Amino acid sequence: MAGRKGGFRIEHDSMGELEVPADALWGAQTQRAVQNFPVSGRPMPRGFIRALGLVKAAAAEVNGNLGLLPATRAAAIRKAALEVAAGDHDAHFPIDIYQTGSGTSSNMNANEVIASLASRSGRVRVHPNDDVNLGQSSNDVIPTAIRVSAQLAVVEDLLPALKHLRSTINRRGRTFSRLAKTGRTHLMDAMPLTFGQEFGAWAAQLVSAQERLEDCLKRLRRLPIGGTAIGTGINADPRFGKAMARALGASTKTRFESAIDKFEGLASQDDAVELSGQLNALAVALMKIANDLRWMNSGPLAGLGEIELPALQPGSSIMPGKVNPVIPEATCMVCAQVMGHHAAITVAGASGNFQLNVMLPLIASNLLDSIGMLSNVMRLLADTTIAGLKVRADHVAVALGRNPILVTALNPIIGYEKAAAIAKRAYKEGRPVFDVALEDSGLGAAELRRLLDPAALTRGGIQG
């Protein structure tokens, strides 16, 4: 620091002097980035700043243990970094998402803020590069922070929300496990199934999504820290990478590993793209579930009207009494945005040039945004929609009784063509298929009741 000037102080870096707000914890390199990237007005997300703080705290601990930093200085850096991780200084991380592709600006932002805090609290002069960034490069810190932040967001937020939604669906499915309804293929009437079977298919989609997510975490936990500039580990102690993985695992109670090939971890972000792909697949499943709920709730008079979702707010500024399926609609919008994020992450993941990917901040932001939105909307869908939905059993029973497709159960006995004729007549005359079949099939009432029993047909039917 060279001095103060009004509401600013003068800082310098290798490119010269510039003004920095007097009360800012950051220094010259952060200020240059603030001036260079007035793009979106959106800073890096909280989860990423948390991960940066955790990485810097672990680095101070490891460098202290290795005898590379004096104990007092290492402790001061670690304390300041943990404050950053806790969110105590988020206002001092102003750099836009759309910055240098390596994320160097965000790494230096963390280095400068932590150095400033550590110098004040530890009564020692801490240098952002020589001390806070010791044994590190932006090129291994940022890819590591991406993996740490995404792993923690999935483990702490996404998977618990997914399990909660699945549990809620299963619980409500058991409530309606014996209630039969008309199935639909091509949006047209098909053979019956129970609400429990329909809900069970949703829950099964979420089981598969959970398994895919958990599997990709095995690759996401491999941290490239220790590779420094290009993967060779220049200026880092050979023990640094493995010690960092252990320290981060201990502080987060989450398993991390030191990547065997640090070059891969810097140049490619395939594991982040894989995670994004699984988030995309989860979004596909959630959109299917949300749209099924919207269709089943449609009406109440001119639609399917099978279920009634909880009324959460007025649905129209002009039509009194209208209530809309707002949470399923919000879910679909989240899913659409996650799909868009995945497209952007795919392009970003393909933007590794030789030894470094150069769209790291975009990958970090989109991953965490997708995880956060999916986590939040799954809990909303569970608690405000599925937990309180009601089945309109009488309406469902009427529609099921008039479903001409029930005649499919008679195929093995009277043949496809005769069954088709009965179905067409029942539909044309608006009569239950049982009544028409009693007249045209040659079968008795008792046998028809047995063959056309919707509950039996949900179990595969009864062979004649």
Side-chain angles (χ1 to χ4, degrees):
M1 184 186 302
R4 292 182 181 272
K5 181 181 176 182
F8 296 90
R9 67 179 193 270
I10 303 301
E11 291 277 0
H12 73 275
D13 59 12
S14 60
M15 296 185 71
E17 294 185 346
L18 77 167
E19 294 182 341
V20 175
D23 59 351
L25 292 175
W26 66 77
Q29 292 201 41
T30 300
Q31 188 62 33
R32 292 192 191 281
V34 170
Q35 295 171 359
N36 286 338
F37 306 115
V39 181
S40 70
R42 295 171 55 206
M44 294 298 289
R46 162 95 280 274
F48 181 78
I49 302 304
R50 176 196 179 193
L52 265 182
L54 291 171
V55 169
K56 296 298 178 179
E61 177 184 339
V62 169
N63 283 323
N65 292 340
L66 293 175
L68 302 175
L69 272 178
T72 302
R73 189 170 300 172
I77 294 172
R78 184 174 185 276
K79 179 178 181 295
L82 289 177
E83 290 178 9
V84 167
D88 296 348
H89 306 288
D90 282 358
H92 296 273
F93 287 83
I95 298 175
D96 204 276
I97 293 166
Y98 302 97
Q99 53 171 286
T100 173
S102 63
T104 297
S105 298
S106 284
N107 182 45
M108 282 308 304
N109 189 179
N111 291 335
E112 290 177 342
V113 168
I114 291 168
S116 178
L117 291 167
S119 296
R120 294 178 185 180
S121 65
R123 296 186 177 86
V124 291
R125 184 162 182 80
V126 175
H127 194 278
N129 296 79
D130 297 339
D131 298 323
V132 183
N133 203 58
L134 180 62
Q136 306 149 65
S137 162
S138 299
N139 296 355
D140 64 349
V141 166
I142 300 301
T144 295
I146 289 173
R147 289 161 172 86
V148 170
S149 61
Q151 177 97 356
L152 293 177
V154 170
V155 171
E156 296 175 354
D157 300 324
L158 186 72
L159 289 176
L162 191 157
K163 292 173 185 177
H164 177 64
L165 175 59
R166 189 190 75 208
S167 175
T168 304
I169 290 172
N170 278 329
R171 175 168 53 82
R172 298 314 309 281
R174 289 192 295 271
T175 302
F176 310 121
S177 61
R178 297 187 179 183
L179 184 57
K181 57 163 284 185
T182 299
R184 291 180 182 84
T185 58
H186 303 271
L187 295 180
M188 305 298 286
D189 297 346
M191 292 300 293
L193 77 166
T194 67
F195 279 90
Q197 289 169 328
E198 191 160 46
F199 283 34
W202 299 341
Q205 284 183 277
L206 297 180
V207 169
S208 296
Q210 179 182 334
E211 291 173 347
R212 288 190 292 263
L213 285 163
E214 290 173 340
D215 184 69
C216 79
L217 292 183
K218 294 186 295 187
R219 288 166 288 284
L220 193 71
R221 69 170 64 113
R222 300 168 185 166
L223 305 181
I225 193 74
T228 64
I230 65 169
T232 60
I234 185 70
N235 292 346
D237 187 288
R239 299 165 290 179
F240 187 75
K242 289 184 178 180
M244 282 291 291
R246 288 194 297 271
L248 284 165
S251 66
T252 62
K253 297 181 173 56
T254 303
R255 182 180 173 188
F256 291 107
E257 301 171 2
S258 181
I260 294 174
D261 192 312
K262 304 294 193 296
F263 296 96
E264 178 199 16
L266 273 58
S268 84
Q269 303 303 307
D270 296 348
D271 45 2
V273 176
E274 180 188 14
L275 173 59
S276 179
Q278 301 310 340
L279 298 175
N280 188 71
L282 174 58
V284 168
L286 291 175
M287 184 172 278
K288 197 273 185 194
I289 294 168
N291 276 327
D292 281 356
L293 288 166
R294 292 174 63 228
W295 277 103
M296 293 161 71
N297 181 73
S298 62
L301 300 179
L304 297 182
E306 293 182 343
I307 62 173
E308 181 181 333
L309 298 181
L312 300 178
Q313 63 184 57
S316 173
S317 62
I318 191 173
M319 293 176 282
K322 193 171 189 294
V323 178
N324 298 329
V326 292
I327 299 301
E329 289 172 352
T331 301
C332 288
M333 286 190 282
V334 164
C335 293
Q337 184 62 75
V338 170
M339 294 170 192
H341 281 344
H342 179 53
I345 289 172
T346 300
V347 174
S351 297
N353 307 123
F354 299 107
Q355 279 69 58
L356 184 67
N357 183 284
V358 290
M359 290 197 185
L360 297 175
L362 174 65
I363 293 173
S365 176
N366 281 11
L367 268 184
L368 294 178
D369 197 28
S370 291
I371 294 169
M373 289 191 300
L374 288 170
S375 301
N376 292 337
V377 87
M378 282 193 290
R379 289 194 179 276
L380 282 175
L381 191 63
D383 295 338
T384 68
T385 302
I386 293 173
L389 69 80
K390 299 176 182 177
V391 172
R392 300 176 64 189
D394 292 345
H395 187 78
V396 169
V398 171
L400 182 59
R402 296 180 61 184
N403 181 5
I405 306 303
L406 294 177
V407 78
T408 302
L410 305 183
N411 283 359
I413 301 170
I414 65 174
Y416 182 93
E417 291 188 8
K418 191 170 185 178
I422 292 172
K424 290 178 182 178
R425 182 183 168 197
Y427 176 72
K428 181 179 180 180
E429 298 177 4
R431 298 169 62 196
V433 70
F434 175 88
D435 294 348
V436 177
L438 188 60
E439 297 172 3
D440 294 354
S441 69
L443 301 175
E447 187 173 11
L448 283 172
R449 288 192 185 92
R450 180 175 66 87
L451 292 171
L452 298 176
D453 176 18
L457 294 175
T458 66
R459 299 188 294 271
I462 302 173
Q463 296 300 316

